[in-house]
Amino acid sequence: MRKMTEQHLINAFGGESQAHMRYLHFGNQAEKEKYDNVARLFRAIAHAEYVHAGDHYRELRHLDGGFVANSMAAFGPGDSVKNLKLAIAGETYEIEEMYPTYIEVAKFQGEKGAQRSFEWSYASEKLHKQLFERALEEVNSGKDIELDTIQVCEVCGYTLEGEAPDRCPVCGALKDKFTPFK
Amino acid sequence: MRKMTEQHLINAFGGESQAHMRYLHFGNQAEKEKYDNVARLFRAIAHAEYVHAGDHYRELRHLDGGFVANSMAAFGPGDSVKNLKLAIAGETYEIEEMYPTYIEVAKFQGEKGAQRSFEWSYASEKLHKQLFERALEEVNSGKDIELDTIQVCEVCGYTLEGEAPDRCPVCGALKDKFTPFK
Ligand SMILES: [Fe+2]
Ligand SMILES: [Fe+2]
Ligand SMILES: [Fe+2]
Ligand SMILES: [Fe+2]
Ligand SMILES: [Fe+2]
Ligand SMILES: [Fe+2]
């Protein structure tokens, strides 16, 4: 594998692992503030980031040993208003810079597996951002979000609200590969 | 907070988040190979790393925004023999280099909160390494590990096998702060 794409997979694994971790801790904070649906949202999206991290990690199965991941992450936890702002900032960075750039370089270097892994993640980050923005609007006025079941595809991390589709629109996985958070 | 200690907390949050993520995925692989206790061990220690990451993250609550974490992590997943070797390599790096150095710099810079957070993590990585080494010995000859209940302190991540103590020997938390994995 070409070294620059390889480093991007390493960085993306680091970024997704840290997003997963932040959202688990942000979920606990939301629960403390009695925003039960915001807590559920953080936990569902934490699970999507876990799937993303796993996909990138498997693309690196040819490696054997230690490498330094250089991963942007959002720091400075607080109440749920602050945490949602950090979550939105993190998703925005992934949508506007990280994944478009990593996809472009993977294409340029002909690294199809990495390209697919980046594209799969990229496809769900946009909905993550929208969901967090909806939550921030409510929490800004002291209310919990109204939220239907959140479904996460176990293969690619695609995330949606409502019923699971017959096939994942991103990776094609069947309906039973969706894990509901309700 | 002094900038070098701050960067070390950022890096350590990244490292713990990635260790947590690896162990979740390694746990799934161990389960596929019918090593149920190895799977349980990976999941218990994943939880300890989650506690470590949360402790470092809270020490950074004065921040507000994006920072790059430079975190060493072990890559190249495979079967449980390979995964246990990667886990041991990661714990060894934390025990022999990362935490002793981060603790030394935090002391030198008079950063007590960071020092405590690093010391808390450091205290359990040694047992993590021993447990993974025991598991590797068994899995090397095709057997699952014999394993009593694993207890993880929710405050500092201290990890032990057997009964929970009246007080955590590392942070002083009471018995009911231990989460059992059995
Ligand atoms: Fe993601
Ligand atoms: Fe996301
Ligand atoms: Fe999918
Ligand atoms: Fe740790
Ligand atoms: Fe550890
Ligand atoms: Fe403790």
Side-chain angles (χ1 to χ4, degrees):
Chain A
M1 181 177 284
R2 302 299 296 273
K3 289 298 162 198
M4 286 189 69
T5 294
E6 189 176 273
Q7 185 63 51
H8 291 168
L9 278 168
I10 290 169
N11 299 348
F13 171 73
E16 295 288 354
S17 297
Q18 293 181 72
H20 167 84
M21 183 61 70
R22 282 196 301 280
Y23 297 163
L24 291 182
H25 286 283
F26 291 173
N28 297 343
Q29 177 61 33
E31 194 181 304
K32 270 188 210 156
E33 295 174 57
K34 311 267 188 231
Y35 295 130
D36 288 349
N37 278 339
V38 175
R40 177 161 60 90
L41 180 62
F42 273 128
R43 286 160 183 165
I45 297 184
H47 190 69
E49 313 304 7
Y50 155 89
V51 175
H52 293 166
D55 286 339
H56 301 330
Y57 201 62
R58 270 183 297 275
E59 290 299 324
L60 294 163
R61 57 190 170 271
H62 58 284
L63 297 180
D64 186 8
F67 295 82
V68 175
N70 304 297
S71 314
M72 179 73 88
F75 290 90
D79 61 9
S80 290
V81 168
K82 177 95 184 283
N83 293 345
L84 282 164
K85 283 179 186 166
L86 292 179
I88 292 164
E91 299 287 344
T92 302
Y93 168 74
E94 290 185 342
I95 294 165
E96 295 188 353
E97 293 208 43
M98 189 181 102
Y99 280 124
T101 304
Y102 285 2
I103 290 166
E104 194 65 20
V105 173
K107 266 186 209 165
F108 180 70
Q109 296 199 314
E111 293 289 358
K112 298 240 182 279
Q115 183 188 333
R116 192 184 69 163
S117 198
F118 294 144
E119 285 173 344
W120 279 2
S121 291
Y122 182 52
S124 59
E125 311 302 3
K126 286 171 251 179
L127 191 76
H128 295 176
K129 185 182 175 189
Q130 286 169 20
L131 286 163
F132 288 140
E133 285 172 340
R134 246 177 67 198
L136 179 59
E137 247 178 76
E138 297 301 317
V139 169
N140 258 332
S141 50
K143 284 182 297 198
D144 198 2
I145 187 177
E146 285 193 35
L147 193 70
D148 200 348
T149 305
I150 298 288
Q151 310 273 355
V152 176
C153 174
E154 290 293 331
V155 176
C156 75
Y158 189 66
T159 308
L160 58 88
E161 191 182 2
E163 281 292 295
D166 286 335
R167 277 186 175 274
C168 175
V170 174
C171 76
L174 292 173
K175 193 185 196 103
D176 67 354
K177 290 288 184 194
F178 279 87
T179 299
F181 291 77
K182 53 188 164 195
Chain B
M1 178 175 285
R2 305 296 297 273
K3 290 296 161 198
M4 285 189 70
T5 294
E6 188 177 274
Q7 185 63 51
H8 291 168
L9 278 168
I10 290 169
N11 299 348
F13 170 73
E16 295 289 355
S17 297
Q18 292 180 73
H20 166 84
M21 184 59 71
R22 281 196 300 281
Y23 298 163
L24 291 183
H25 286 283
F26 292 173
N28 297 343
Q29 177 61 31
E31 195 180 304
K32 270 188 210 156
E33 295 174 57
K34 312 265 188 234
Y35 295 130
D36 289 348
N37 279 340
V38 175
R40 177 162 60 90
L41 180 63
F42 273 129
R43 286 160 186 166
I45 297 184
H47 189 70
E49 314 304 8
Y50 155 88
V51 175
H52 294 166
D55 287 340
H56 301 330
Y57 201 62
R58 270 183 297 273
E59 290 299 324
L60 294 163
R61 57 189 169 272
H62 59 284
L63 297 179
D64 186 9
F67 295 82
V68 175
N70 305 298
S71 314
M72 179 74 88
F75 290 89
D79 61 9
S80 290
V81 168
K82 176 92 184 287
N83 293 345
L84 283 163
K85 284 179 185 164
L86 291 180
I88 292 163
E91 299 287 343
T92 302
Y93 168 73
E94 290 184 341
I95 295 165
E96 294 188 355
E97 294 207 44
M98 190 180 103
Y99 279 124
T101 303
Y102 285 2
I103 290 166
E104 194 64 19
V105 173
K107 268 187 207 162
F108 180 70
Q109 297 200 314
E111 293 289 359
K112 299 244 181 274
Q115 183 188 334
R116 190 184 72 163
S117 198
F118 294 144
E119 285 172 345
W120 279 3
S121 290
Y122 182 52
S124 59
E125 311 302 4
K126 287 169 247 180
L127 191 77
H128 295 175
K129 185 183 177 187
Q130 286 167 22
L131 286 163
F132 287 140
E133 285 172 341
R134 246 176 69 199
L136 180 59
E137 246 178 73
E138 298 300 318
V139 169
N140 257 332
S141 51
K143 283 182 296 198
D144 199 1
I145 188 179
E146 285 193 35
L147 193 69
D148 200 347
T149 304
I150 297 289
Q151 310 273 357
V152 177
C153 173
E154 290 294 332
V155 176
C156 75
Y158 189 66
T159 308
L160 57 87
E161 192 182 2
E163 280 293 295
D166 286 334
R167 279 188 175 271
C168 175
V170 173
C171 75
L174 292 171
K175 194 186 196 105
D176 67 353
K177 290 288 184 194
F178 279 88
T179 298
F181 291 78
K182 53 187 165 196

